[in-house]
Amino acid sequence: MMQDVLEANEPIAQPGLIQRISTSISRLYQHYLDKWTPHTASRWAFTLALIFGFMVRIMLRQGWYIVCYALGIYHLNLFLAFLTPKIDPAFSHDDDDGPGLPTKANEEFRPFMRRLPEFKFWYSVTKSTLVAFFCTFFQVFNVPVFWPILVMYFITLFCITMKRQIKHMIKYKYLPFSLGKPRYQTQENSSKPPAH
């Protein structure tokens, strides 16, 4: 009992200097990330400029093709997750359960829910491009490869994967883009003669 009282009177240890600096940097980073979240066009413009800068560096330095290939495969994987619905209809056993897009005018509108939301897609693309850019400063990642084979293999992989994704979209009748709630005309409005 006496030991519990002594332990209760001991001062609580403050976090160390490194932990406090790390926490403040983390909060500042999250603050700016949260401020940039609603600005979709500027986020993607920055990321595309970053990818363009990475590609220019690859072409000028004529190396790090394996890093570029790995980045391309990772971006393709992210893009597929972005295009795929959160609940894949191929794995859904009951056609009546789960969210789905309406196919008839009298069905309730449900927006397309992605497996990988747009912000996470952007964030992952940006982070991976920064990591790949960083890797181009180290000679250990400059593995000698015959780059035209990598380009042809990536193009083939892209075409096969996109063909499979488009077939999946056609089979399960969904589009990966929602442009807002659709407006349907009622029978009464469409059958009225135009006013003179």
Side-chain angles (χ1 to χ4, degrees), residues 54 66-78 154 158:
F54 173 75
I66 201 77
V67 173
C68 186
Y69 176 72
L71 181 66
I73 295 295
Y74 184 66
H75 285 181
L76 178 61
N77 187 24
L78 291 172
F154 179 78
F158 179 81

Side-chain angles (χ1 to χ4, degrees), residues 20-188:
R20 284 185 299 196
I21 291 172
S22 156
T23 302
S24 66
I25 289 173
S26 168
R27 284 183 184 158
L28 187 65
Y29 174 74
Q30 190 62 46
H31 171 74
Y32 283 113
L33 200 60
D34 291 342
K35 283 180 83 170
W36 211 9
T37 300
H39 306 287
T40 309
S42 63
R43 283 190 286 118
W44 280 105
F46 169 76
T47 300
L48 291 175
L50 188 64
I51 292 171
F52 180 74
F54 173 75
M55 296 304 291
V56 167
R57 178 163 172 78
I58 294 294
M59 285 189 256
L60 291 178
R61 297 299 306 253
Q62 295 185 357
W64 293 275
Y65 299 118
I66 201 77
V67 173
C68 186
Y69 176 72
L71 181 66
I73 295 295
Y74 184 66
H75 285 181
L76 178 61
N77 187 24
L78 291 172
F79 184 61
L80 286 174
F82 178 71
L83 291 178
T84 306
K86 187 173 187 176
I87 299 171
D88 194 349
F91 299 118
S92 173
H93 297 294
D94 270 340
D95 292 336
D96 298 334
D97 292 342
L101 292 177
T103 56
K104 298 180 182 76
N106 60 354
E107 288 185 22
E108 179 185 344
F109 172 74
R110 293 185 191 128
F112 185 79
M113 293 174 55
R114 303 176 185 285
R115 186 179 340 153
L116 181 66
E118 182 272 333
F119 182 78
K120 288 184 179 180
F121 177 45
W122 167 79
Y123 189 63
S124 297
V125 167
T126 305
K127 276 195 328 185
S128 63
T129 305
L130 285 170
V131 168
F133 208 105
F134 181 74
C135 287
T136 62
F137 290 99
F138 299 99
Q139 205 58 32
V140 71
F141 296 111
N142 191 7
V143 179
V145 292
F146 186 60
W147 66 266
I149 290 177
L150 290 179
V151 171
M152 290 305 299
Y153 185 65
F154 179 78
I155 291 170
T156 304
L157 187 64
F158 179 81
C159 291
I160 290 171
T161 311
M162 288 284 85
K163 180 180 176 185
R164 189 179 72 211
Q165 185 68 28
I166 291 169
K167 281 184 177 180
H168 188 269
M169 290 163 54
I170 291 170
K171 181 178 180 180
Y172 293 104
K173 299 175 184 157
Y174 69 90
L175 285 175
F177 305 104
S178 299
L179 300 175
K181 188 173 181 176
R183 309 234 184 265
Y184 299 106
Q185 285 189 341
T186 59
Q187 290 280 115
E188 299 157 4

